Amino acid sequence: MTTHEGVETALGSGDNAPPNNRVHHIRSGELDGYAAISGGMAGSRKLWMGLVENPPSSATDNHHHGDSEAGIYVVSGHPVFVYHDGTQEVRLAAQPGDFFLVPPFVPHREENPDPNEPAVVVIARTTQEPIKVSVPELYRLDETATQ
């Protein structure tokens, strides 16, 4: 393996997007809001990644991520992922080290029932930028509706 001491990527002078012929290093303090890897941050074309911290005793609204798949890795805390199976809400309790896949258009929400500890997750989506479409309630996704 070849390494180059002190070589990092940065936005090119006069260029709005980083070059796409090298590895990009985004340090923890350099996130753009929640985004770590996106079209704007690193010049990605098909991927968005970010770090999300859900405060204690919190819940997101019901939503889906459009045509994007979402992969989730639980860093810390004990979030609960909720979706509807067509009959009832299903609650999937997580712990650090767990992974989840949320398919395109599947309505869901994330909850952090712990009154003291935040839940921290890394999210990867198959789009350059995050997509979040709020829905009034959870419902089973009819697969024919997405084709």
Side-chain angles (χ1 to χ4, degrees), residues 5-129:
E5 296 287 328
V7 174
E8 307 238 358
T9 44
L11 291 175
S13 59
D15 190 3
N16 290 335
N20 281 320
N21 63 350
R22 61 191 70 165
V23 173
H24 298 267
H25 181 187
I26 295 89
R27 296 180 187 278
S28 62
E30 297 174 343
L31 275 67
D32 180 13
Y34 297 115
I37 297 173
S38 66
M41 279 293 287
S44 63
R45 295 181 181 153
K46 298 179 183 181
L47 176 68
W48 182 95
M49 284 186 76
L51 184 70
V52 175
E53 182 176 313
N54 292 313
S57 301
S58 67
T60 67
D61 63 338
N62 300 321
H63 64 278
H64 65 75
H65 300 291
D67 196 24
S68 177
E69 289 182 313
I72 301 164
Y73 174 74
V74 179
V75 176
S76 64
H78 294 86
V80 176
F81 296 87
V82 185
Y83 73 99
H84 204 284
D85 69 359
T87 304
Q88 62 186 354
E89 285 188 0
V90 176
R91 302 175 63 78
L92 302 173
Q95 60 185 5
D98 287 354
F99 288 86
F100 290 87
L101 170 66
V102 180
F105 298 103
V106 172
H108 63 284
R109 77 174 167 266
E110 299 92 38
E111 299 177 354
N112 180 11
D114 191 299
N116 301 310
E117 182 181 11
V120 179
V121 299
V122 171
I123 299 176
R125 296 192 190 122
T126 56
T127 57
Q128 287 184 27
E129 304 301 334

